[in-house]
């Protein structure tokens, strides 16, 4: 079996859905499970519905109309009739959403969020199911909630892999083409849960691992994984192959490769992960697999802007040792600072952090009780994996370097 995942951009309009159909016909018309996200920016549009609903806002009807009209438009373009079964099914599913909004009495925001947000994935997979039938592909529509079981931690539910594997495994025998939703799951009480924003890749990995699939392919609007972000670097190169560990390393430093959570189930079962372009499906793309290293062996650049550099020194010239360092980390952890780089000498300790929750002033106030504190906001952190002299020169040119750290494989510099 193969698993294909199509994200929002790959089903954002009627043309994109047709393109998906062509890809499925050519590359996976049987023995394939297709995981699909909500169309385009539907999840954001449904978040607006959730917020209006939760706050009793005036804009609830308008927010719902955005979602409704967008899908109806795509259905009309694909099936050319208001009375097509795809339209009727959409109306029925949409009514179920309205029904929830009218009858729900649970005031837990995260609960309501999941009960509303998952309609994006239901709409998209229902439409795609009809479309694949229209182009003569026989497809079974599966409700992912019957297969992926989680705890009740709404919006970031934890998957029960044992139960999930038992439920998914029989699908391996069907030999059919199947379509299901990314991102959504259910708990023991039967309520819908979700796996966190952008969770559809993770869904594809779970199905791939539980089915012992021959491969998982993520179809995207880029040629594959690149060695640099085209917004900051000229002429990035395609990385054709890399190990799971390399992909996890790149993700750790902030590259938008796959989330480690997505890679882990695949790594455990040694299932190759392909990242390919739905605009150029014959392109080689990237494969993440067990073989060591990365190919081509080029430097990989990762930039994180708007970081904070905090430099501490002791008030009395005493050494900064284990005890102080553990206090510093406890504090950073408490204020949800994400630590990017650390460097210490006898009497100074530097740490570059991502101030995700705007807690810098609190952290600094606490640190000042024990240390002399200097900090610089709005610094950039450049990480280069597999650096060489040229890469170092490129990164260092025309910048004020505040901190530099090198290990065998990785160079990191903090600049202003
Ligand atoms: N539709 C969800 C989101 O936009 C899940 C996904 O696309 O992966 O976050
Ligand atoms: Mg999406």
């Amino acid at each position: 079996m193969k698993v294909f995942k199509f994200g929002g951009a790959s089903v954002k309009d009627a043309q994109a859905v047709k393109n998906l159909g062509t890809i499925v016909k050519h590359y996976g018309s049987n023995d394939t499970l297709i995981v699909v996200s909500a169309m385009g920016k539907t999840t954001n549009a449904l978040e607006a519905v959730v917020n209006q609903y939760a706050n009793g806002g005036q804009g609830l009807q308008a927010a719902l109309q955005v979602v409704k009209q967008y899908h109806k438009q795509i259905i009309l373009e694909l099936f050319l009739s208001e009375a097509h079964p795809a339209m009727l099914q959409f109306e029925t599913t949409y009514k179920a959403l309205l029904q929830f909004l009218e009858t729900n009495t649970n005031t837990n925001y995260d609960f309501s969020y999941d009960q509303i947000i998952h309609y994006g994935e239901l709409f998209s997979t229902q439409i795609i199911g009809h479309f694949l039938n229209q182009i003569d592909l026989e497809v079974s529509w599966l409700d992912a909630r019957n297969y992926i079981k989680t705890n009740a931690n709404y919006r970031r539910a934890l998957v029960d892999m044992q139960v999930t594997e038992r439920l998914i495994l029989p699908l391996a025998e069907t030999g059919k083409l199947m379509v299901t939703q990314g991102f959504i799951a259910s708990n023991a009480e039967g309520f819908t849960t979700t796996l966190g924003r952008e969770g559809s890749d993770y869904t594809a990995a779970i199905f791939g691992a539980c089915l012992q699939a021959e491969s998982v392919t993520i179809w995207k609007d880029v040629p594959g994984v690149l060695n640099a972000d085209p917004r900051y670097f000229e002429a990035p190169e395609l990385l054709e192959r890399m190990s799971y560990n390399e992909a996890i390393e790149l993700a750790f430093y902030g590259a938008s490769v796959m989330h480690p959570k997505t890679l882990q189930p695949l790594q455990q079962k040694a299932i190759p992960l392909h990242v390919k372009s739905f605009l150029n499906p014959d392109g080689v793309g990237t494969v993440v697999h067990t073989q060591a290293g990365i190919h081509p062996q080029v430097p990989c650049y990762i930039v994180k802007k708007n970081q904070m550099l905090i430099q501490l020194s002791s008030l009395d010239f005493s050494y900064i040792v284990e005890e102080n360092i553990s206090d510093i980390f406890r504090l950073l952890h408490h204020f949800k600072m994400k630590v990017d780089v650390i460097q210490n000498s006898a009497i100074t300790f530097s740490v570059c952090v991502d101030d995700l929750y705007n807690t810098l002033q609190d952290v600094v106030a606490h640190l000042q009780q024990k240390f002399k504190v200097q900090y610089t906001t709005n610094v950039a952190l450049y990480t280069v994996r597999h650096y060489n002299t040229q890469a170092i020169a490129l990164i260092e040119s025309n910048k004020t370097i505040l901190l530099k750290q090198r290990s065998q494989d990785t160079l990191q510099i903090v600049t202003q």
Side-chain angles (χ1 to χ4, degrees):
M1 282 210 62
K2 295 190 289 281
V3 175
F4 284 179
K5 182 261 173 172
F6 289 93
S10 64
V11 290
K12 70 177 196 292
D13 53 28
Q15 197 48 48
V17 174
K18 288 179 188 170
N19 184 53
L20 174 150
T22 310
I23 290 176
V24 173
K25 242 189 184 162
H26 276 78
Y27 303 92
S29 52
N30 48 36
D31 235 8
T32 304
L33 175 85
I34 310 173
V35 173
V36 189
S37 312
M39 294 177 144
K41 303 264 179 256
T42 298
T43 305
N44 293 350
L46 282 166
E47 281 188 346
V49 170
V50 174
N51 290 333
Q52 289 293 334
Y53 174 72
N55 306 327
Q58 299 293 307
L60 178 62
Q61 291 311 321
L64 281 163
Q65 282 306 313
V66 170
V67 175
K68 187 177 184 182
Q69 293 314 328
Y70 172 65
H71 288 91
K72 285 188 74 165
Q73 177 65 31
I74 293 177
I75 296 169
L76 268 181
E77 277 183 49
L78 289 172
F79 306 102
L80 309 170
S81 156
E82 288 274 0
H84 190 277
M87 189 66 91
L88 303 180
Q89 186 176 34
F90 173 75
E91 298 282 3
T92 307
T93 308
Y94 182 77
K95 266 197 201 117
L97 165 60
L98 297 184
Q99 173 101 25
F100 171 80
L101 298 175
E102 277 156 25
T103 57
N104 173 49
T105 51
N106 188 329
T107 52
N108 176 338
Y109 180 91
D110 291 347
F111 170 82
S112 297
Y113 180 101
D114 281 357
Q115 309 320 304
I116 295 169
I117 213 82
H118 78 276
Y119 278 93
E121 272 69 15
L122 293 186
F123 296 146
S124 71
T125 53
Q126 289 174 348
I127 295 169
I128 283 153
H130 283 285
F131 182 74
L132 294 176
N133 280 329
Q134 175 164 281
I135 60 168
D136 297 327
L137 289 172
E138 202 187 307
V139 59
S140 311
W141 185 91
L142 306 178
D143 189 328
R145 294 171 294 182
N146 296 333
Y147 298 93
I148 301 189
K149 289 291 172 182
T150 68
N151 65 7
N153 193 8
Y154 296 105
R155 296 185 69 187
R156 34 190 101 65
L158 203 70
V159 175
D160 182 335
M161 274 306 252
Q162 256 180 345
V163 177
T164 299
E165 183 151 23
R166 188 156 42 72
L167 292 168
I168 291 179
L169 202 58
L171 295 174
E173 306 303 319
T174 61
K176 282 196 191 148
L177 174 63
M178 296 173 272
V179 63
T180 196
Q181 308 77 37
F183 177 54
I184 77 173
S186 73
N187 63 20
E189 288 178 276
F191 287 113
T192 303
T193 56
T194 59
L195 308 178
R197 286 301 307 265
E198 306 303 324
S200 293
D201 288 354
Y202 182 40
T203 300
I206 294 168
F207 273 105
C210 296
L211 290 167
Q212 291 277 7
E214 63 179 67
S215 63
V216 171
T217 305
I218 306 214
W219 295 92
K220 293 177 78 111
D221 55 3
V222 289
V225 180
L226 303 175
N227 76 326
D229 184 333
R231 285 176 300 173
Y232 307 122
F233 292 88
E234 276 171 36
E237 285 180 65
L238 177 69
L239 300 168
E240 290 178 18
R241 299 193 302 269
M242 70 179 83
S243 63
Y244 298 104
N245 286 344
E246 186 65 43
I248 290 168
E249 291 276 0
L250 290 174
F252 173 79
Y253 291 112
S256 56
V257 227
M258 238 39 68
H259 194 278
K261 203 165 137 189
T262 297
L263 292 161
Q264 191 240 344
L266 298 176
Q267 181 173 29
Q268 258 175 14
K269 303 237 170 138
I271 295 168
L273 173 74
H274 297 270
V275 180
K276 279 175 159 275
S277 165
F278 59 76
L279 303 168
N280 176 24
D282 285 326
V284 284
T286 300
V287 57
V288 182
H289 199 8
T290 40
Q291 78 287 324
I294 189 160
H295 178 84
Q297 254 277 7
V298 289
C300 299
Y301 301 89
I302 302 141
V303 187
K304 288 180 90 178
K305 298 261 165 122
N306 200 18
Q307 307 295 295
M308 318 286 152
L309 182 66
I310 307 174
Q311 285 167 308
L312 308 173
S313 43
S314 52
L315 292 168
D316 55 1
F317 295 101
S318 63
Y319 292 150
I320 294 190
V321 290
E322 294 82 350
E323 200 193 329
N324 310 334
I325 293 174
S326 73
D327 286 346
I328 297 166
F329 270 96
R330 204 169 302 121
L331 205 63
L332 293 170
H333 177 67
H334 177 79
F335 286 102
K336 297 185 177 157
M337 287 275 190
K338 191 178 171 304
V339 175
D340 295 320
V341 193
I342 55 170
Q343 194 168 65
N344 75 308
S345 70
I347 54 170
T348 66
F349 181 88
S350 305
V351 56
C352 182
V353 294
D354 201 347
D355 185 10
L356 291 169
Y357 296 91
N358 262 318
T359 53
L360 181 70
Q361 292 311 327
D362 294 323
V363 170
V364 168
H366 278 82
L367 289 170
Q368 275 167 340
Q369 295 167 11
K370 285 194 180 168
F371 305 96
K372 187 166 157 272
V373 183
Q374 277 182 293
Y375 65 91
T376 318
T377 58
N378 205 12
V379 299
L381 169 66
Y382 290 85
T383 303
V384 190
R385 291 272 299 161
H386 315 296
Y387 60 86
N388 54 27
T389 27
Q390 273 167 305
I392 298 174
L394 176 71
I395 291 295
E396 291 187 347
S397 74
N398 301 324
K399 294 185 192 86
T400 310
I401 297 172
L402 304 175
L403 182 152
K404 180 166 169 176
Q405 186 158 290
R406 242 193 235 226
S407 67
Q408 203 184 341
D409 282 328
T410 310
L411 167 75
Q412 293 193 287
I413 64 171
V414 176
T415 70
Q416 206 169 15

